[in-house]
Amino acid sequence: MNFKKLDVRNNSYYINSKKSFSSTYTLSNESVSKAKGFAKKMTYEKKGEHRKHRSGGSHIRNDREIYLNTLAGKISEFALFEYLNKKEILVEEPDVETYSLGVWDTFDFQIFNKHLSVKSTKHFGNLILLETKDWSKDGDYLPNLDKESSIYDFHILIRTKANNEAWDYDIPGFITHQDFKDVIKQELILPKSSFLNGKIRMDAENYYIQAGDLRTIDELINLLKNQRDR
């Protein structure tokens, strides 16, 4: 795979491989309700706990920020869940159990012995961002090194847009584990304190992959169906 480097001017990094948002799909009301309930329990109701800052980050998130980040992540997981089931790849619903700080989810989905990670962003987003301090040089997820799930076979980008009480989403694409290793080798990194598109200050250092460079979601569906039918 050919992954483009962002354009760099001074300390600003600019996206040059975009993919337009296509609100083809709308999440069911039931899934939205479950995602909101989970986010509320993990923040305001104090039934679980999330980190106050990102790996390598300095900004301390308040409850409102954590709630919105948690909601966006869980909305994206339900979006992939519904999409896969539409494509006749039956998977279990996303986990909505609450966990204390330091208890990590091993992966977002396991499908036919493949581990899938969901990366969420807003509808105008065009990057998969993976915090460098969370990953080894071989693309292994460091918090899970003592488990069998330290390798994620696929990272999938989900973009969401709130439309009154509804949530629209699209899936620009995905990368494989080998793709991620290539990204690490190519040192495609957004430095901490740099600016994305000249205006968004990066709180932590991240590996990046642009939406326009991703493999298509159809390719992932074919890979999973081939795995299923073996």
Side-chain angles (χ1 to χ4, degrees):
M1 289 288 291
N2 180 32
F3 298 107
K4 297 183 183 69
K5 288 190 174 184
L6 297 171
D7 291 336
V8 184
R9 298 194 288 275
N10 297 320
N11 192 39
S12 291
Y13 291 69
Y14 295 87
I15 293 170
N16 53 39
S17 185
K18 298 181 179 181
K19 186 174 287 186
S20 298
F21 179 74
S22 174
S23 56
T24 307
Y25 306 101
T26 300
L27 198 62
S28 70
N29 292 336
E30 181 182 5
S31 290
V32 171
S33 177
K34 289 179 179 179
K36 286 183 175 179
F38 172 78
K40 186 177 180 180
K41 286 189 293 185
M42 289 293 288
T43 50
Y44 301 121
E45 294 182 2
K46 305 298 182 184
K47 295 181 180 179
E49 193 172 3
H50 275 300
R51 292 178 297 171
K52 294 288 187 180
H53 59 83
R54 297 174 175 86
S55 298
S58 304
H59 174 66
I60 304 301
R61 297 184 293 171
N62 59 36
D63 280 349
R64 177 63 176 170
E65 290 174 294
I66 294 174
Y67 171 82
L68 291 174
N69 293 159
T70 303
L71 175 61
K74 196 57 66 174
I75 286 283
S76 295
E77 290 179 27
F78 272 103
L80 183 61
F81 160 74
E82 291 193 2
Y83 180 82
L84 291 175
N85 279 277
K86 281 180 173 52
K87 297 296 181 178
E88 299 180 342
I89 298 174
L90 304 183
V91 295
E92 294 183 359
E93 278 194 357
D95 186 5
V96 290
E97 292 296 320
T98 54
Y99 300 99
S100 60
L101 191 65
V103 179
W104 298 82
D105 289 338
T106 51
F107 41 78
D108 294 323
F109 293 96
Q110 180 175 343
I111 306 174
F112 315 128
N113 296 319
K114 299 294 183 183
H115 296 156
L116 281 66
S117 167
V118 174
K119 306 307 296 182
S120 64
T121 191
K122 294 179 180 178
H123 67 280
F124 51 80
N126 273 284
L127 294 177
I128 288 181
L129 293 175
L130 297 161
E131 292 151 3
T132 58
K133 288 189 177 295
D134 282 340
W135 304 92
S136 76
K137 294 302 181 183
D138 291 322
D140 295 337
Y141 187 51
L142 295 175
N144 286 357
L145 278 183
D146 60 340
K147 305 172 184 175
E148 295 181 359
S149 55
S150 63
I151 294 177
Y152 290 75
D153 297 286
F154 308 114
H155 296 275
I156 304 153
L157 183 61
I158 308 284
R159 298 188 294 195
T160 61
K161 182 179 182 180
N163 184 12
N164 293 322
E165 291 300 313
W167 284 78
D168 297 333
Y169 69 92
D170 79 350
I171 309 177
F174 75 104
I175 59 169
T176 66
H177 179 65
Q178 182 58 55
D179 291 337
F180 185 34
K181 290 173 68 174
D182 292 342
V183 166
I184 294 171
K185 186 176 181 179
Q186 295 173 40
E187 297 183 341
L188 300 184
I189 292 173
L190 260 174
K192 181 176 179 176
S193 299
S194 64
F195 288 86
L196 177 61
N197 292 328
K199 56 187 177 181
I200 302 173
R201 185 178 180 275
M202 301 304 296
D203 179 54
E205 183 181 87
N206 285 266
Y207 295 112
Y208 67 82
I209 307 94
Q210 300 189 70
D213 297 338
L214 298 175
R215 298 174 184 269
T216 68
I217 190 62
D218 288 339
E219 182 179 342
L220 178 62
I221 295 301
N222 289 334
L223 286 169
L224 293 174
K225 285 185 175 179
N226 287 339
Q227 190 78 16
R228 177 195 64 190
D229 296 337
R230 284 182 180 177

